Amino acid sequence: MTAVDLAALRQRAASLRQLIQYHAHRYHVLDAPEISDEAYDSLFQELLELERAHPDLIAPDSPTLRAGAPPAAGFARVEHPAPMLSLGNAVTPDDLYAWRERLLRLLPGDIAILYTVEPKIDGLTVVLHYEEGLFTLGATRGDGSVGEEITANLRTVRSLPLRVPVAGDEAPPRRLVVRGEAYMSKAEFARFQAAQEAESGRRYVNPRNTAAGALRNLDPAVTAARPLDLWAYQIVALEAGPDLAGQWPALAYLARLGFPVTQAENRRFDDFDALVAYCVQWGERRHELPYEVDGLVIKVDDFALQERLGYVGKDPRWAVAYKYPSAEAATRLLAIQVEVGRTGVLTPRAVLEPVYLGGVTVSSATLHNADYIAERDIRVGDTVVIKRAGEVIPQVLRALPELRSGAETPWQMPDRCPVCGGPVARYAGEVAYYCENMACPAQLVRRIEFFVSRAAMDIAGFGSKQAELFVAKGFIHEIADIYDLPDRREALLALEGFAAKKVENLLQAIAASKQQPATRLLTGLGIHFVGAAVAELLLEHFRSFAALAAASAEEMAEIEGIGPRIAASVTAWFAQPANQRTLARLAAAGLPMRLPEATPEAPATLAGRTFVITGTLPTWSRDRATAIIKEHGGKVAAAVSGATDYLLAGEKAGSKLEKAQKLGIPILSEEDVRALLGWPAA
């Protein structure tokens, strides 16, 4: 083939890509196709055959790549350029007015505020990265700071533009990061559900879970087979683009680039009373939309004001989610099953005749505890009323005794554990029943699950499946056995699906967890009533596990926020010889058993200073760096602002570093912070 022929083919492929992307945008985003499906298919087939014959013609933004790449071995972690924050909730008009009052107290009295109102899509949050207009990276929200890379899967979503702008001659921004929501429409979910049930008898729970499962599948071909769509609603980062003053022009810019935006449902208000009235009225018609929503999102439509208002905890002050009341439905209670939690708590769960509720097929629900069932005289066989609490967790509200036939049977908590057969006990002053067998397999798996989770020791690559497998194989009999897994390297390599790289990553993650602060270890032990906040209170007071173990319940109860019930639970846990042996093994394995000591010369060296942390530090995890800063009187914020005193930056620092540099905020390394504290170099 001559150079002229190859150039002609390359030009033809480029023209086909541009034309197919244009018509795909018309069809999937604008819902205004200009050509028939058959004509579109013929263009697509021509490009596909051209690329098969000449693979070097395949471009990164080719529509043919949407069919799915080969399955991946796992998901890489992606640090977001800015925190993917959650929102505070409002459930009544009064809540909305209270939110506005909080804003006004933080702003000048004569300032005029515009607000945007957008649907709150019930899908999976995704973060999309574009370089010079080309889609290069996609990730899940994850924990808000770090997500999972799902680029290949997102390429299969046909309403996601692979190159922007889709149409027109506007220059693309040099860098663009967009936050959106991947979802499955009600109609597509119904068709997909019917097809799956006919083929395999399998039923899916709801559109949201089906979409999330598709995007987090390791095989992009599976994702491609599910009819997913996308809404874009936030610009996270923008370089060499227009100067956008607020959310409303940002949404317009996204639509101009070719992103699907909920323009028909979006509103902007300068009259807050009108905004509240719209929120109330809109709730009556939300079920008419072709996709699932669970409320509206109200934002201050001014980026400068957003920056000024800042954040409280993990929630932006300048935005709030208006959530609608949960729907209810009636169905039959077929059975009551008992589940065993990581602390041995026995929890009754209702097995229901499947019923469609608020866009979800519900077949099980929580019954809370035995007292809840007895007080409401809920019987097996009853017709019961259920609702989705917070539009998420189904719960049984009450029985309808007027519909009883006489065949219904009262229920009691079993006196033996349904998993291990061990004795069941109920302690004075508590509503819960407990399995007293500490070796109960259900408890062990769930305790390990919690210990390795992000809320505790954050051991990447170690989840519920691994916990179940290692317990079943006899590798783990108690939590401390996790740190003996490096001695079982050969046995791990012999397990199905555990290749050398996977085993090495797991063992590295286990070793890295030893750098977590002592508060995380205390949280991970799963002591009754001891979560992250209580663990921090206890260790800030006693400083070490040894001092905590030696303390009396009365001493603990004197700490503000620690009541007699917590104190009794903690002292009882430390009094158990088996728990003492576990702690000794964890200490021997090198886990932190105390908080770092403040230097006597300057115990509050960082008092009054606010830090933001970004990137990967040489020896400290982010949690450990946060703990050290707080220990010495400093504060740690989620985002860079004018109130930030220092940015603690490590490798792969992103947009926080750029923003700090623009604002003239001092950039510190881990060694710089050590120097501030008077510590020796690492």
Side-chain angles (χ1 to χ4, degrees), residues 143-192:
D143 63 3
S145 298
V146 177
E148 295 174 318
E149 185 193 343
I150 53 170
T151 309
N153 290 352
L154 283 168
R155 288 185 188 278
T156 70
V157 179
R158 285 170 166 73
S159 51
L160 183 154
L162 296 177
R163 182 183 289 276
V164 295
V166 170
D169 55 2
E170 184 170 2
R174 182 167 61 242
R175 178 169 177 257
L176 174 67
V177 181
V178 174
R179 182 173 178 175
E181 202 82 2
Y183 71 99
M184 188 179 289
S185 72
K186 295 175 183 177
E188 291 292 358
F189 175 69
R191 282 192 285 270
F192 177 77

Side-chain angles (χ1 to χ4, degrees), residues 279-510:
C279 290
V280 173
Q281 294 162 5
W282 193 84
E284 299 171 1
R285 55 174 290 269
R286 63 191 173 104
H287 295 300
E288 301 170 8
L289 294 175
Y291 47 88
E292 295 287 354
V293 297
D294 54 6
L296 293 169
V297 178
I298 299 99
K299 301 174 185 174
V300 172
D301 182 30
D302 186 310
F303 291 153
L305 287 183
Q306 289 183 8
E307 181 75 20
R308 184 169 182 172
L309 289 165
Y311 304 84
V312 54
K314 293 185 177 181
D315 299 339
R317 287 194 178 94
W318 42 266
V320 68
Y322 185 70
K323 306 292 286 290
Y324 292 101
S326 304
E328 296 184 2
T331 187
R332 286 191 65 232
L333 174 61
L334 303 178
I336 297 177
Q337 296 179 345
V338 176
E339 297 177 339
V340 184
R342 63 181 172 82
T343 59
V345 173
L346 273 59
T347 304
R349 181 177 64 85
V351 180
L352 304 169
E353 195 170 87
V355 61
Y356 196 70
L357 174 62
V360 177
T361 301
V362 176
S363 59
S364 67
T366 181
L367 282 163
H368 300 291
N369 53 61
D371 286 356
Y372 185 90
I373 297 170
E375 289 165 2
R376 289 159 179 77
D377 188 23
I378 296 171
R379 305 180 185 184
V380 175
D382 268 338
T383 298
V384 294
V385 176
I386 64 171
K387 86 168 188 177
R388 292 178 66 199
E391 302 267 351
V392 179
I393 304 169
Q395 63 176 308
V396 176
L397 293 180
R398 60 188 178 276
L400 298 176
E402 60 271 24
L403 297 178
R404 284 176 181 160
S405 66
E408 296 77 14
T409 56
W411 179 87
Q412 287 185 329
M413 182 67 74
D415 59 1
R416 310 297 294 185
C417 173
V419 175
C420 70
V424 169
R426 187 178 192 180
Y427 305 124
E430 291 195 36
V431 297
Y433 287 78
Y434 294 88
C435 168
E436 294 205 298
N437 177 16
M438 294 295 287
C440 175
Q443 289 187 59
L444 179 57
V445 168
R446 285 171 175 79
R447 284 202 305 272
I448 294 166
E449 236 179 276
F450 180 70
F451 186 85
V452 303
S453 71
R454 288 183 179 177
M457 301 305 288
D458 193 17
I459 302 179
F462 198 149
S464 57
K465 290 182 179 178
Q466 289 76 22
E468 290 172 3
L469 177 63
F470 296 158
V471 169
K473 292 290 184 182
F475 294 174
I476 296 179
H477 300 280
E478 62 162 296
I479 285 171
D481 290 336
I482 292 170
Y483 295 93
D484 288 340
L485 286 176
D487 298 332
R488 296 182 177 270
R489 186 187 300 268
E490 295 306 317
L492 292 173
L493 289 169
L495 296 174
E496 184 178 352
F498 279 73
K501 183 63 175 176
K502 181 174 181 177
V503 170
E504 188 59 35
N505 288 341
L506 174 63
L507 298 184
Q508 286 180 4
I510 290 172

Side-chain angles (χ1 to χ4, degrees), residues 29 118-119 121 126 128 130 159-161 178-183 229-235 247 250-252 254-255 258-263 266 299:
V29 178
E118 307 160 45
I121 313 301
V126 293
L128 315 172
Y130 291 78
S159 51
L160 183 154
V178 174
R179 182 173 178 175
E181 202 82 2
Y183 71 99
D229 267 305
L230 173 83
W231 291 118
Y233 58 84
Q234 181 186 354
I235 295 177
Q247 176 69 0
L251 291 171
L254 287 172
F259 288 96
V261 176
T262 56
Q263 289 176 295
N266 296 344
K299 301 174 185 174

Side-chain angles (χ1 to χ4, degrees), residues 188-242:
E188 291 292 358
F189 175 69
R191 282 192 285 270
F192 177 77
Q193 182 83 290
Q196 291 297 308
E197 195 165 12
E199 181 180 328
S200 62
R202 180 177 180 183
R203 288 188 61 82
Y204 289 77
V205 178
N206 56 44
R208 194 263 177 207
N209 286 3
T210 308
L215 283 173
R216 298 194 70 256
N217 195 291
L218 291 176
D219 187 352
V222 173
T223 312
R226 297 190 183 181
L228 302 183
D229 267 305
L230 173 83
W231 291 118
Y233 58 84
Q234 181 186 354
I235 295 177
V236 179
L238 177 65
E239 295 179 11

Side-chain angles (χ1 to χ4, degrees), residues 565-577:
R565 187 176 68 161
I566 296 174
S569 174
V570 174
T571 52
W573 191 93
F574 276 96
Q576 291 290 328

